[in-house]
Amino acid sequence: MSSDDWYRNNEWNDQIETLFYAKLKRARTQRDQYLVIQSSYLANSYPLISLRLINEYFETRTDKYEDVRAYSAQARAFMTIDDIDNSMKAYRAVLKREDEFPNHQTTVYVDYPYIVATQAIESEYSNVLSVLHKYKSHLIFSLDKFKWHASFALINNDPEQAKLALDVAEVKRSGIKYHQDFGLVGDEHVNVIKVLYEIGT
């Protein structure tokens, strides 16, 4: 086991939990970070464990430095158990926290609208459209641009935005010298792309 594997577990059982807390007990300055990283690794596979660790983080944290990552993991964990309301609340909390501390930025400004649009969470439409307008200047990578245009297209049934999203999905090189495949639209978006074709034609 490498030095950091103990807080990056993809599996969870009693033995792993015992080892994790034994190590965590000896951690001092980075305890908050270890809790949040481990919760993030479990958000999709062990969402209830992830939520428990996140709650522990919020109850015991020494400062708010890891809040953005904690809320992000919390949002994914709630989505995994189909708790849509709390997931949306957590995503909104990420954006609020990022507004307060601009040095802590994620891609939630497009991830949250994209989830809302692809899952047809109509109660969030008004808010995510505001988010998309607000953060348009933040777009850098193809995947972010794709999610931005796709979200608009799906929510408004907008052919022009659908075509823009499809154009971005065709980009095959990132433009980053040693990471040409970074930030591109992957195969996991194929079903959304099919819907965009229907809207755009």
Side-chain angles (χ1 to χ4, degrees):
M1 176 181 289
S2 68
S3 61
D4 62 357
D5 281 349
W6 69 270
Y7 60 89
R8 299 179 188 273
N9 296 288
N10 290 305
E11 300 292 330
W12 199 259
N13 54 42
D14 290 344
Q15 182 179 359
I16 292 172
E17 181 168 325
T18 297
L19 177 60
F20 173 77
Y21 277 105
K23 295 273 192 178
L24 189 67
K25 188 176 181 179
R26 292 195 290 271
R28 298 187 182 278
T29 58
Q30 293 180 289
R31 184 180 188 279
D32 293 349
Q33 181 184 25
Y34 295 148
L35 274 171
V36 172
I37 291 174
Q38 183 58 79
S39 68
S40 180
Y41 271 75
L42 299 175
N44 296 330
S45 53
Y46 294 84
L48 297 180
I49 300 297
S50 177
L51 290 170
R52 174 160 62 81
L53 294 175
I54 292 165
N55 287 339
E56 184 173 348
Y57 161 76
F58 281 118
E59 290 170 358
T60 63
R61 67 186 179 191
T62 56
D63 57 44
K64 297 182 179 181
Y65 188 82
E66 295 292 337
D67 279 14
V68 166
R69 288 202 292 183
Y71 283 125
S72 296
Q74 187 180 56
R76 290 191 293 113
F78 276 129
M79 184 62 70
T80 301
I81 61 173
D82 292 324
D83 188 340
I84 303 300
D85 289 344
N86 277 319
S87 179
M88 297 299 102
K89 182 179 178 181
Y91 277 124
R92 292 193 297 270
V94 173
L95 294 174
K96 182 175 184 296
R97 182 66 180 162
E98 289 180 347
D99 282 345
E100 295 169 347
F101 295 86
N103 289 335
H104 291 194
Q105 297 297 312
T106 68
T107 57
V108 164
Y109 73 96
V110 286
D111 295 336
Y112 159 51
Y114 188 70
I115 289 169
V116 167
T118 55
Q119 299 293 321
I121 306 172
E122 295 183 8
S123 61
E124 296 289 311
Y125 280 0
S126 177
N127 189 60
V128 300
L129 288 172
S130 296
V131 168
L132 290 168
H133 283 297
K134 179 178 179 179
Y135 292 93
K136 183 177 181 180
S137 63
H138 290 212
L139 297 171
I140 298 176
F141 299 110
S142 294
L143 180 57
D144 300 338
K145 294 175 183 177
F146 171 79
K147 288 183 175 181
W148 196 92
H149 291 299
S151 297
F152 262 117
L154 294 169
I155 291 173
N156 292 329
N157 196 35
D158 187 325
E160 181 178 347
Q161 292 291 340
K163 290 174 183 176
L164 289 170
L166 292 169
D167 287 344
V168 176
E170 292 297 318
V171 174
K172 301 303 180 186
R173 296 172 68 84
S174 70
I176 302 174
K177 187 173 182 181
Y178 297 110
H179 303 279
Q180 290 293 345
D181 58 348
F182 184 80
L184 301 180
V185 180
D187 293 341
E188 67 272 22
H189 301 285
V190 64
N191 290 331
V192 173
I193 288 173
K194 290 178 181 177
V195 175
L196 292 171
Y197 271 117
E198 293 176 3
I199 294 173
T201 57

